[in-house]
Amino acid sequence: MSTTPEAQVSKPGQVVKNCWSCRLLSGGGLMLSGAYVFLPALRTIRQGGPTSMGTLAQMIFAAGLTSWGLVVITDPMDKTQRKT
């Protein structure tokens, strides 16, 4: 079974973009880490603790992690480029 060299050569990063399970696993991990960071801050607020700048920064960082995970899963750049 011989394969042509053109079939073996791929662009860097092309394999990761086409791998749905890779995107789902890494994006889900980022979203879960966002929840892991967010829950202690939420617990502090629910217990009546002071809402400090650190708590707000923790919540904003958690929102950023969760959004990053969502972007990895949906892959919007792949949808905007024309495929040739």
Side-chain angles (χ1 to χ4, degrees), residues 1-83:
M1 246 170 59
S2 66
T3 58
T4 61
E6 294 86 19
Q8 294 175 353
V9 177
S10 65
K11 298 176 190 173
Q14 190 70 17
V15 174
V16 176
K17 288 183 181 179
N18 292 334
C19 180
W20 172 248
S21 62
C22 300
R23 287 195 340 234
L24 191 63
L25 183 66
S26 61
L30 282 167
M31 292 177 78
L32 285 174
S33 65
Y36 181 77
V37 171
F38 182 78
L39 287 177
L42 185 63
R43 190 176 311 125
T44 302
I45 292 173
R46 281 188 182 167
Q47 291 175 350
T51 307
S52 65
M53 288 299 289
T55 306
L56 290 176
Q58 188 175 358
M59 294 175 88
I60 291 170
F61 182 70
L65 281 174
T66 306
S67 332
W68 186 16
L70 188 63
V71 166
V72 167
I73 290 173
T74 58
D75 194 22
M77 292 302 292
D78 191 37
K79 292 178 176 62
T80 58
Q81 295 174 353
R82 286 187 357 184
K83 295 182 181 180

